[in-house]
Amino acid sequence: GIQVEQSPPDLILQEGANSTLRCNFSDSVNNLQWFHQNPWGQLINLFYIPSGTKQNGRLSATTVATERYSLLYISSSQTTDSGVYFCAVGNTGFQKLVFGTGTRLLVSP
Amino acid sequence: GAVVSQHPSWVICKSGTSVKIECRSLDFQATTMFWYRQFPKQSLMLMATSNEGSKATYEQGVEKDKFLINHASLTLSTLTVTSAHPEDSSFYICSANLGKPPYEQYFGPGTRLTVT
């Protein structure tokens, strides 16, 4: 099956810093989503981005499908950005998702 | 829109008993729902795909007789953990999509199961 690797596994930032999270996947996909899992476990949808570039406030994402990677950019990070960021991909008709290994982000004041 | 709820949010049960977890799509109809399991500090692993009106499709290594899935309506899927054991303690999360492109998945808040 498809493999999804994220880097870095852990990231510590000072408030206000920028960061780039990477997601590599091993096969072509027709679904790619980025999520933020908050401390209570809730997965929050950030982007649905199987290809192209999107921006939402301080967050933006780019997926280069032909090269099988996606990037999530966080600018001017805030303490509330702390948590685990997952990318998940799908390439089947039922659209089931395979989750990446996650990036654990800690933003300190 | 696209809100998914789960009940209960946490449950404690004794070893050998069964526990049912509900997943509801609140503002849309979901012909397909998905059940995931997450152990502490790990990623989410898909357990099964739940299809309304038909049998669920289980991922390799997931015991069908232990994790019973019923998708009896377009807004409700249930996961029953039968004869629970301490190793079944985990965070169970369901999701659903709108059933049409772009197939973005929306996740419930999760259910934390502890088996004593």
Side-chain angles (χ1 to χ4, degrees):
Chain A
I2 194 167
Q3 305 294 315
V4 186
E5 293 288 331
Q6 291 183 240
S7 60
D10 297 281
L11 187 57
I12 301 175
L13 299 175
Q14 284 274 325
E15 201 167 24
N18 303 328
S19 61
T20 301
L21 282 59
R22 187 177 179 103
C23 171
N24 291 332
F25 42 96
S26 62
D27 203 349
S28 58
V29 299
N30 52 23
N31 184 349
L32 190 147
Q33 293 183 242
W34 282 97
F35 300 93
H36 175 210
Q37 188 170 38
N38 66 22
W40 298 272
Q42 173 76 62
L43 282 167
I44 300 165
N45 288 39
L46 298 178
F47 294 103
Y48 172 86
I49 187 166
S51 64
T53 297
K54 290 186 178 179
Q55 180 160 6
N56 184 0
R58 296 182 297 104
L59 303 182
S60 63
T62 294
T63 297
V64 183
T66 53
E67 297 188 21
R68 300 181 183 169
Y69 73 89
S70 183
L71 302 174
L72 177 69
Y73 305 96
I74 305 174
S75 64
S76 304
S77 58
Q78 302 175 357
T79 55
T80 51
D81 295 332
S82 297
V84 184
Y85 289 81
F86 289 106
C87 78
V89 304
N91 63 359
T92 68
F94 282 115
Q95 293 298 321
K96 60 183 184 180
L97 292 177
V98 175
F99 275 73
T101 48
T103 292
R104 189 172 301 272
L105 174 65
L106 176 63
V107 181
S108 57
Chain B
V3 179
V4 177
S5 71
Q6 280 183 244
H7 179 80
S9 53
W10 60 269
V11 58
I12 301 173
C13 70
K14 293 192 175 183
S15 188
T17 62
S18 296
V19 61
K20 181 185 288 187
I21 302 170
E22 293 185 348
C23 176
R24 293 182 185 273
S25 56
L26 296 187
D27 52 0
F28 65 101
Q29 293 183 330
T31 54
T32 304
M33 291 183 171
F34 305 89
W35 287 95
Y36 296 82
R37 181 167 55 179
Q38 185 181 31
F39 291 108
K41 298 195 183 299
Q42 293 188 22
S43 186
L44 280 76
M45 296 295 293
L46 179 67
M47 298 175 65
T49 302
S50 170
N51 301 296
E52 188 267 336
S54 64
K55 290 184 179 180
T57 303
Y58 291 82
E59 295 298 301
Q60 192 171 7
V62 176
E63 299 176 60
K64 301 179 183 181
D65 295 332
K66 180 164 193 61
F67 299 100
L68 300 180
I69 292 173
N70 185 286
H71 194 154
S73 78
L74 287 172
T75 59
L76 174 64
S77 175
T78 60
L79 168 68
T80 301
V81 182
T82 63
S83 187
H85 291 286
E87 56 264 32
D88 298 323
S89 298
S90 188
F91 192 53
Y92 293 87
I93 312 172
C94 71
S95 72
N97 60 42
L98 299 181
K100 57 183 180 180
Y103 294 113
E104 182 174 358
Q105 275 193 33
Y106 300 90
F107 283 75
T111 297
R112 195 163 303 279
L113 169 64
T114 302
V115 184
T116 61

